[in-house]
Amino acid sequence: MTVIRDVEIETYLQDLARPVFLAAGLNPASVRMVIVRDSTLNAYVAGGMNIFLHTALLRSTDDAEQLLGVIAHETGHIAGGHLTRGTAAMKNASLQAILSMVLGVGAAIASGNPNAGAAVITGGQQIAQRSILSFSRAQEGAADAAGMSFLDRTRMTSRGLKEFLEKLGNQELLPVDRQVEYARTHPLTQDRINTVRRHVERSPWAKARLPKAMKERHARMKAKLLGYLQPDAALLRYGEKDSRVNARYARAIALYRKSDMQKALSLLDGLLAEEPDNPWFLELKGQILFESGRVREAIAPYRRVVELVPKAGLLQAAYGHVLLETHDPALVDEAILYLEQSLKTEPHVPATWRFLATAWGEKNEKGLVAYGLAEEALAKAENVTARRLAARAIKLLPKGSPYILRAQDVIKQARENEDDR
Ligand SMILES: [Zn+2]
């Protein structure tokens, strides 16, 4: 299972889904939407309140309303408590391991390698198989009904769900091996489609539309995914004469993926001339500069990104990493500040702990270095190493340091993880 972490897409998904989660009585902050790089069309709920969305599904939705329909249906499964078996099947530790793999377009902090598009998580397949349960037909009907009532409550159309199900219905025409996984996990019947159709016909919100900005963000998500996942196809689809913003964005990403950094940068500069405060254009520019070895020049775009999107841990970590890679002693404190901020929202990213340990090393804080490496090991589920490093940190840290308690927590957590095996 390969998870893509991308703040632009994740933020879009959260903004799109928030009203539906609220209508379902769920705290939006506690539902996580996970983007899985996978060419089968599927979406499912696993490990409690986590909605997994395959990239193929995201790309197959024609508009934001269709994607919202899928999310509303999955939310129906969560709210309906259809998941008790699934919750037990996916342990939190495994889920954290999956989510801590920082991949995809925002991969700068993972490796600094532009080709690091994929990493396979050991055991991920097994986790997926055990925890993705197929729902019964009754549960499917209940999830549709719940999803549509959430949409009604937000005065939003269920037309997208209807269109998505119809699209799946047409899949029956495809050869078996190309039929969609979604229909396997969520049994599709004509009865389901008819019920949703009737609901849309009667709904006073049938003609409601999501705001134009949401429509645009959906199109950008699709352009980004195509540029990232299939750069050659993106360059074919969006020719050099195509001057639309999304076309140029997809091209810039595709060129970056093909290591044509100069062309990618010149496209981005054009886009930034039109949208100077677009954090995602700035993020990509910073990433390209950084990966081209132009570390100093990457500082300005990243600094603007963390101003524009202040609470995104992945972006803070990327910025902290850039500052650190300048090897300028004057920038170490700022690097530490952003890396620590990043951990408040993204505490399980091993790379961030490694960067922080490196930064503390620059300041000759040996106890903190050991502590940071202990946390890195813990995040990677290397429990024995984590305990050893944390014990060393406790020895090296000055008496009364607040990090001693945190090192003790690492030991405790590592022991618990070992017991879980
Ligand atoms: Zn379902």
Side-chain angles (χ1 to χ4, degrees), residues 73-74 77 135 140 143 182 186:
H73 173 90
E74 299 301 329
H77 283 305
F135 293 111
E140 284 311 295
Y182 189 85
H186 306 263

Side-chain angles (χ1 to χ4, degrees), residues 73 88 106 133 206 222 241 245 261 349 356 366-367 369 408 411:
H73 173 90
L133 41 145
K222 287 179 65 173
K241 288 190 178 129
V245 171
M261 305 302 199
V349 179
L356 196 50
K366 291 196 174 66
V369 171
Q408 287 166 345
I411 294 176

Side-chain angles (χ1 to χ4, degrees), residues 10 31 74 79 89 106 116 132 147 196 250 278 287 350 369 406 409 416 419:
E10 289 176 5
V31 191
E74 299 301 329
I132 302 166
V196 174
N278 183 309
Q287 186 169 352
V369 171
R406 290 168 66 175
D409 283 343
E416 281 172 20
D419 291 343

Side-chain angles (χ1 to χ4, degrees), residues 154-408:
T154 62
R155 305 184 170 197
M156 189 35 62
T157 176
S158 299
R159 179 185 53 79
L161 178 62
K162 175 184 83 101
E163 287 173 0
F164 185 77
L165 293 181
E166 286 169 346
K167 197 192 275 269
L168 290 178
N170 293 333
Q171 295 278 332
E172 282 163 27
L173 304 170
L174 292 175
V176 175
D177 63 337
R178 291 200 43 213
Q179 280 179 14
V180 292
E181 287 291 304
Y182 189 85
R184 195 173 61 75
T185 49
H186 306 263
L188 182 67
T189 55
Q190 194 56 45
D191 192 40
R192 255 187 92 189
I193 298 178
N194 292 341
T195 307
V196 174
R197 271 186 193 143
R198 275 198 301 276
H199 184 97
V200 173
E201 278 160 19
R202 284 200 314 256
S203 165
W205 320 114
K207 292 215 166 71
R209 301 286 300 183
L210 287 162
K212 219 174 169 187
M214 217 49 110
K215 188 186 167 81
E216 178 61 22
R217 289 170 79 183
H218 191 84
R220 286 205 188 171
M221 172 191 73
K222 287 179 65 173
K224 187 176 211 174
L225 287 173
L226 182 67
Y228 174 67
L229 298 169
Q230 293 180 301
D232 290 311
L235 293 176
L236 276 177
R237 179 173 313 172
Y238 302 114
E240 278 185 49
K241 288 190 178 129
D242 193 336
S243 62
R244 292 171 299 168
V245 171
N246 287 339
R248 284 181 288 155
Y249 190 30
R251 281 185 70 77
I253 293 165
L255 290 164
Y256 152 72
R257 291 281 291 154
K258 295 176 73 68
S259 299
D260 193 341
M261 305 302 199
Q262 269 319 315
K263 268 193 190 164
L265 279 176
S266 89
L267 274 169
L268 273 174
D269 283 336
L271 289 166
L272 280 163
E274 288 162 45
E275 296 182 28
D277 277 341
N278 183 309
W280 321 117
F281 297 165
L282 287 163
E283 182 194 11
L284 184 58
K285 181 175 179 178
Q287 186 169 352
I288 292 175
L289 289 168
F290 179 71
E291 290 180 15
S292 312
R294 295 159 71 177
V295 180
R296 283 256 163 205
E297 292 168 77
I299 292 178
Y302 268 117
R303 180 170 284 153
R304 189 76 187 118
V305 170
V306 293
E307 280 171 12
L308 291 164
V309 193
K311 281 180 185 160
L314 294 183
L315 300 176
Q316 290 164 337
Y319 179 49
H321 185 202
V322 169
L323 291 171
L324 196 58
E325 286 295 320
T326 61
H327 301 292
D328 181 345
L331 297 176
V332 173
D333 284 332
E334 193 183 355
I336 291 174
L337 183 80
Y338 278 95
L339 291 168
E340 284 187 326
Q341 274 187 24
S342 150
L343 291 163
K344 285 181 188 160
T345 51
E346 297 282 348
H348 305 296
V349 179
T352 311
W353 286 108
R354 168 149 295 246
F355 302 150
L356 196 50
T358 308
W360 280 326
E362 301 269 331
K363 298 183 70 89
N364 218 14
E365 297 271 10
K366 291 196 174 66
L368 288 176
V369 171
Y371 163 68
L373 295 175
E375 290 275 14
E376 184 202 11
L378 184 69
K380 289 157 87 174
E382 295 168 358
N383 297 309
V384 177
T385 309
R387 282 199 284 119
R388 182 174 54 75
L389 286 164
R392 186 153 161 245
I394 292 168
K395 264 190 212 143
L396 290 168
L397 285 162
K399 277 202 172 57
S401 162
Y403 289 94
I404 291 179
L405 270 178
R406 290 168 66 175
Q408 287 166 345

